[in-house]
Each structure stands twice: as structure tokens, then as C-alpha cells.
Amino acid sequence: MPNDYITLKALTEELSDMLVGARINKIYMPEKDEVTFGIHADGENKTLVISASPQNPRIHFTSVKKENPAVAPSFSMYLRKHVSGGCITAVKMLNEDRIIAIEADVKNEMHDIEKITVVAEMMGRYSNIIIVDNNGKIGSALKQIPFDTATKRCIIPGMTYTAPPQSKLLPSEQDKIIEYLSDYGGGGLIKYIASGCAGYSTETAAQLLRNASLDDASESLNEQEVDVLMREMQKLLSARSEKTYSPCCAISDDAATDYYIYPYDNGKEYRLYPSLNGAIDDYTSAKDRIQRHAEHTSAINKRYRNFYAKTQKKLVNCREKLKECDSADYYKLCGDLILGNIYKIKRGDGYLTATDYTKDDCPIVKIDLDETLSPQQCANNYYKKYAKLKRTLTALTAQTEQLETLLQYLESIGASIRLCSDSAEIAEIESELEKVGAIRTRKNKINRKAKPSRPLSYSIGRFTLLIGKNNAQNDNLTFKIACGGDIWLHCKDIHGAHGILQCGKESPTEEELLAACEIVAYYSMPDAAEKISIDYTKKKYVKRHPSGQPGMTIYTDYKTITVYPRAHSDKLNQIAK
């Protein structure tokens, strides 16, 4: 992703056209390192997102709506007090670096107009969102740093804001860049430009060479080649005014993998967008969704994996002990043979040799005896071992069945963790893990009755398809929402989503049924490269599993279709009510 000065300069110019004169109406912090501004511009409401995520720093308009926390973070409250209601007057870059500043006129408590600047620094792990007042002092910052030895900066309220020092040649330092390029002596021109000239990612530097018809393996640059490079650099710096400007995303398997100011000549397939904001939103939203899911579920996923491994180990131990119980009959046989040959045994004998008449070939067996005990006592010891193993066998058989059922249930919870997308779904999964003992219930936990999460709703031809993404949703769909004639769908032999095709007494067409199966397959195994078998039957043939665990069922009278997983995003309506 060429998130460099060249790309951000074009983005800043685009944001300036869209934001100057707009009003900041609402401010939220859906993530700990992300702020969203509700902007009213040109008679419509838009959402501007500023993220200081180390893996995905960005600023752009977005169509993605996120759930806001129940309690607003302190930085969000500061923004609401000092920035909300402001009228944006300028959007510009600072220090010719990956820093975008949004200036706004805001009324203070005395109704005087003050200039407040929201500074978005998008520099990997050093990314930050800083609020600067009219005097250039830091009012607040998302990440407050007393002193950073790496950047030689202090970011705390009251300090004068200074941009991070730039070690590379700035785009405006034309004479120095010409001198720098003239000194090139081989070793890779792309790397040389990217490491010495500010604003060029490796990809952009490679495209610069293609535009200038120069080779990366060149050993030196003559005066004419330096001039050509400088002209092409100027074209990139003013990319938005060039005819070549055409915001796009590189596409692989219909998914955005990079965004660019225009299609680079790197052999990739591209999808064009009306604005750079749209391209960035398409690419970064998908990346952010994966990243945030990992962040939100990391703690609960760790507890789940530990408990699953612990349960699996218990099951292995139970099965090993069950194998030991196979010798119970041998101990009974030893007791019987001792009593049957007691007349041959004297106290002090170390073993008994006897014929085993219980087998067809009547083999001779050797039975160990305790020399300190009488024959009767030796027989009783063998009978005690036999009785103990029988009791153990009964207990372990029941325990093994319980552990096998629990593992199946845990596998369904694991599938739910992969699919969950909001706090309500995570809370439901947490509740399930508490019930099975994977998470210890907090003593001082406040029992608030949270709103239950809701399944997804799809329009499939004439019918509605509801998709449950966790056991609570699946249980509610199957046994509360669905009617007897509705079609129930589930991935064969795999824990995943339940689907309910609400068709009542009508029969779905082959195309409608196929689309429903593809969606259920997608929410069970989205990354599967091969076809997946989907079982479907009428809801009236679906019963609860004897274990009584939520989401677990048994079903009969079913048929099976094999399909490839497909999201069918165009058919997605909204969250079902």
C-alpha cells in the first residue's frame, strides 16, 4: 500500500474540497485508537474516520458503521467539548510528511471563536491524533508521551506541538534532490530514491522509474536522466491535476489488496473509483474488520483455546484409563483359578501354574501370588482389583461421553468466535464459556440485561434467509423464530451457522435453495477452496440435542447439496429484527 506523501497529498486535496466549510456535528470513538466525526457538508451527513492504529493508520470518509462503546473514552469527551460544532476552515499537510491537519473554528464557553487543529499523524506505530489550540499548544492527544527517545518529542497537554523530525530530503528541496540523484552510484535506484527522498514508498519509486523509462539496475544517472526524474516527480506531486489521476484499488479474487492514485504499471488488475476516499475505504475497511475482530476476540479466544486443550487432554486421559479397564476380566479369572486350585497352593508360593478352561485351547497360565498372604487372601486381592476396575469403567464411560459432548459444543463455540462481529455477540459467547467453566464468573460482576444479538437477514428470491452466527442466535432461530414448514440448513459434519429459509408452505426454487446453501457454507467455512456439503430439511424434523446445549441439534429426513461458499453481499438486507 503506497501510504506515502504522494498518495496522502492527493487525499488531502480531495478532503479539502469536501471538508472546507463543513460542520462537525458528532464525535465518537468506536475503537480505542480511532475517532469518527459526523460531518454535515453540502446538505448531507457523512462520516469521517481518523485511525491511529499501528497496522492501519488512515483518514477518509467511510460508509462503515461501527458500534460505539457504552461509556465514552476521556479523549472522546475532550473532543466533544472542544471540537464539536466546529466549522472546518482548512485541511492541509504538515512538514511535507504523513501528517494531515484539519483546522476548525469552534466557539468556546464564552462564545468566542477559537481555532482548533486536529492533527492526524499516520506513521505506523508512531501514529497519533493530537489536538492543538490556537496558540500551537497541545490540548490533548490520543497517545500522550512524556518523552520519546526515538522521535525526540514530548506529547503532553501544554507542550508546544512540533512535527516529527524528517531525516529524508523533503519534496520542496529540489536543489538538494537533484544533487542527491546526481550522486547515485548504483546498488538499486528504487531503494536509493525511497530511502533518501521523503514521500516515496518502494512501489511509488518503482512507478516513478517506469514513468521516466529508467532501469533500477542503472549504475549512475546523467544530467538528462536526472531532469527526466525531476519532471516525473513533479507530475506525481501534482497528481490530482494530471490527466492520469484515477483513484483505484488493486484487485485479487474480487477483493481490494492496495489503493493507488492511478493504476500503476505493475501487472495488477485494478478497480476504478470516483474518489480516492472511496478506494481507501474499500481497502482499509476490509483490513480493519479483520484486525479489529482479532483485537476484540483475543482475550476470549485465548480462554477458549486453553479450555479446549484442557478438555481434550482430559478426554485423552480418560480413554487411556479405559484401556486399562480391559484387564478387569483377567483379574477375575486369576481369582477364580486360585480358588479352583487352592488345594495345590501352599503359603509362601510365588506363583500358580493352572489350566485356563475358559478358552477353547485350554492354555497353561502363570499367576503371580503374594508369598506373605494365604491363597484365599491372594484370590480376594484379585477380586478387589476386578471390582475397582469395573467401577472405574462405569465412571469413565460416562465421563468420556460427557467430555466428547462438551468438545463438540466447544467446537461450535469456536465457530461462533470466528463469526462474531459486535459486543453483543461476544457477550453471548462469554456467557456460554462461563457456563461450561472456561471463564470464571467475576464475583462483583454487574448483571445488566444486555440486548440479545440478532441474526443476519438475506433476501433470497421470494423469501427471507436468516443466518445465526453463534449458538444463542442458532437456538433462537431454530426453536423460536422458525415455523415447521421453513427450510432449516446446516453444514454437514461441521460446526457453523444455522440457516432458516422462511418459506412456510411454499417450496423454494432450485436457484433460491442453492443461494441459501452457499450463504450458509460461507458462514461455516468462508475460506474453503472446495465444495462443502450442506444438509437441509424442514424445521419440523429438527430436534434439540439430548445434551441440551444451545445450538446443538439432531435432524432427520434431510437432503444434501454440495456448494462453494459465497457471501452474496448484494442480497444482505440488514440485521434481522
Side-chain angles (χ1 to χ4, degrees):
M1 176 182 66
N3 187 29
D4 51 22
Y5 177 76
I6 302 298
T7 308
L8 289 180
K9 185 174 184 297
L11 175 64
T12 303
E13 293 170 0
E14 189 175 284
L15 287 173
S16 179
D17 293 343
M18 303 170 74
L19 285 174
V20 172
R23 185 170 296 278
I24 302 172
N25 287 337
K26 298 179 180 179
I27 300 174
Y28 298 104
M29 275 190 69
E31 309 288 352
K32 62 181 180 181
D33 54 10
E34 182 177 306
V35 176
T36 59
F37 291 95
I39 304 292
H40 184 77
D42 299 328
E44 59 179 324
N45 295 319
K46 302 176 182 179
T47 301
L48 180 73
V49 59
I50 305 177
S51 175
S53 164
Q55 296 81 19
N56 195 20
R58 65 200 192 280
I59 176 172
H60 60 89
F61 282 105
T62 183
S63 57
V64 177
K65 293 184 179 180
K66 289 188 176 183
E67 182 184 16
N68 294 306
V71 179
S74 57
F75 186 63
S76 175
M77 297 302 292
Y78 181 90
L79 289 173
R80 290 176 183 178
K81 180 178 180 181
H82 295 278
V83 181
S84 184
C87 181
I88 298 173
T89 57
V91 180
K92 56 188 179 183
M93 297 190 76
L94 300 182
N95 201 33
E96 298 182 84
D97 204 348
R98 294 163 294 172
I99 307 171
I100 296 180
I102 300 175
E103 296 179 358
D105 287 340
V106 185
K107 286 185 180 180
N108 60 19
E109 295 175 348
M110 302 301 294
H111 295 280
D112 295 327
I113 300 296
E114 291 185 347
K115 186 179 80 171
I116 298 293
T117 304
V118 180
V119 180
E121 298 182 348
M122 294 165 286
M123 296 174 289
R125 64 192 181 99
Y126 297 110
S127 299
N128 206 346
I129 303 174
I130 304 169
I131 310 304
V132 180
D133 64 19
N134 195 43
N135 299 316
K137 303 290 185 180
I138 296 174
S140 184
L142 181 67
K143 304 173 186 177
Q144 296 187 14
I145 306 171
F147 182 77
D148 189 343
T149 56
T151 59
K152 310 295 183 185
R153 301 169 72 206
C154 188
I155 305 175
I156 56 175
M159 296 295 295
T160 300
Y161 173 78
T162 56
Q166 180 63 271
S167 59
K168 299 179 182 181
L169 296 174
L170 300 178
S172 60
E173 297 177 318
Q174 298 289 303
D175 294 339
K176 291 183 179 181
I177 293 176
I178 291 173
E179 183 179 348
Y180 177 75
L181 293 175
S182 300
D183 292 340
Y184 172 67
L189 187 52
I190 293 175
K191 182 180 178 182
Y192 187 74
I193 293 174
S195 61
C197 300
Y200 292 89
S201 65
T202 303
E203 279 193 284
T204 303
Q207 181 61 30
L208 174 66
L209 293 192
R210 287 192 289 267
N211 292 346
S213 300
L214 294 176
D215 189 359
D216 178 50
S218 300
E219 293 299 325
S220 62
L221 295 174
N222 57 40
E223 186 176 345
Q224 183 180 0
E225 289 171 333
V226 171
D227 289 340
V228 172
L229 269 177
M230 292 303 296
R231 285 199 300 272
E232 294 301 329
M233 283 183 172
Q234 288 302 313
K235 288 182 181 179
L236 285 175
L237 288 171
S238 57
R240 196 159 177 265
S241 61
E242 297 289 331
K243 293 181 179 179
T244 54
Y245 184 71
S246 183
C248 60
C249 278
I251 301 298
S252 178
D253 295 328
D254 202 38
T257 58
D258 284 299
Y259 62 85
Y260 301 84
I261 53 177
Y262 64 84
Y264 283 6
D265 302 324
N266 50 15
K268 296 181 180 180
E269 181 184 350
Y270 289 91
R271 179 191 296 152
L272 302 182
Y273 292 80
S275 67
L276 188 56
N277 270 274
I280 296 175
D281 186 35
D282 193 8
Y283 169 68
T284 59
S285 294
K287 183 180 178 182
D288 181 70
R289 184 167 57 252
I290 296 171
Q291 174 198 335
R292 298 302 183 185
H293 180 273
E295 289 179 3
H296 296 164
T297 61
S298 60
I300 197 171
N301 206 17
K302 183 179 179 180
R303 300 282 185 89
Y304 162 77
R305 289 197 306 269
N306 290 342
F307 188 73
Y308 185 88
K310 185 178 179 181
T311 305
Q312 210 169 30
K313 186 176 180 180
K314 283 183 180 179
L315 182 58
V316 171
N317 291 337
C318 282
R319 286 172 175 167
E320 289 177 353
K321 290 179 180 178
L322 278 174
K323 290 180 180 178
E324 296 175 7
C325 295
D326 293 341
S327 59
D329 291 336
Y330 169 75
Y331 291 120
K332 183 177 183 298
L333 174 64
C334 290
D336 291 344
L337 291 177
I338 291 173
L339 292 180
N341 295 275
I342 197 170
Y343 63 93
K344 296 181 181 180
I345 307 172
K346 297 178 183 178
R347 181 184 286 271
D349 287 346
Y351 62 89
L352 166 68
T353 302
T355 302
D356 182 4
Y357 292 104
T358 63
K359 295 183 180 178
D360 294 338
D361 55 349
C362 299
I364 301 298
V365 295
K366 184 179 178 181
I367 301 171
D368 293 328
L369 301 174
D370 189 333
E371 297 175 359
T372 63
L373 300 178
S374 67
Q376 183 66 48
Q377 289 173 323
C378 288
N380 287 340
N381 281 349
Y382 276 112
Y383 284 135
K384 286 178 182 178
K385 290 180 181 179
Y386 166 74
K388 182 179 179 181
L389 288 176
K390 278 296 184 180
R391 292 194 300 271
T392 302
L393 177 64
T394 302
L396 285 177
T397 301
Q399 187 177 357
T400 300
E401 291 176 354
Q402 292 174 356
L403 289 172
E404 287 174 342
T405 302
L406 177 58
L407 273 180
Q408 289 182 5
Y409 179 56
L410 289 175
E411 286 171 2
S412 70
I413 295 178
S416 300
I417 294 174
R418 292 192 297 271
L419 293 172
C420 68
S421 57
D422 58 41
S423 59
E425 291 174 354
I426 292 175
E428 288 170 345
I429 295 170
E430 187 177 23
S431 177
E432 287 187 84
L433 290 175
E434 283 182 358
K435 289 177 182 177
V436 297
I439 295 178
R440 186 178 298 174
T441 305
R442 297 188 297 272
K443 291 182 179 180
N444 299 325
K445 182 179 178 181
I446 301 174
N447 292 319
R448 292 195 181 101
K449 193 171 182 180
K451 291 183 179 180
S453 62
R454 294 178 292 179
L456 297 174
S457 173
Y458 283 81
S459 290
I460 307 295
R462 301 164 294 160
F463 310 118
T464 297
L465 173 69
L466 301 180
I467 297 290
K469 296 192 292 177
N470 60 37
N471 289 323
Q473 290 182 9
N474 289 339
D475 207 54
N476 188 49
L477 273 181
T478 304
F479 300 110
K480 293 183 179 179
I481 295 177
C483 299
D486 292 341
I487 302 296
W488 182 87
L489 307 100
H490 188 268
C491 195
K492 189 179 187 67
D493 301 328
I494 296 173
H495 294 286
H498 289 196
I500 294 293
L501 189 60
Q502 296 181 307
C503 53
K505 296 181 179 179
E506 297 185 58
S507 298
T509 64
E510 185 177 342
E511 291 76 12
E512 291 168 339
L513 189 59
L514 184 65
C517 289
E518 289 173 342
I519 294 171
V520 171
Y522 176 79
Y523 283 102
S524 298
M525 295 185 67
D527 300 323
E530 299 178 352
K531 285 189 174 182
I532 298 175
S533 297
I534 302 295
D535 291 340
Y536 68 95
T537 184
K538 289 189 176 181
K539 185 268 170 187
K540 63 182 179 181
Y541 298 123
V542 182
K543 308 296 180 186
R544 289 185 185 277
H545 192 275
S547 67
Q549 298 286 17
M552 296 186 69
T553 60
I554 53 176
Y555 53 92
T556 58
D557 297 83
Y558 64 90
K559 295 181 180 179
T560 304
I561 296 179
T562 56
V563 296
Y564 287 108
R566 289 185 60 194
H568 285 286
S569 302
D570 57 314
K571 295 180 172 61
L572 179 63
N573 297 327
Q574 56 185 2
I575 301 298
K577 296 183 178 181

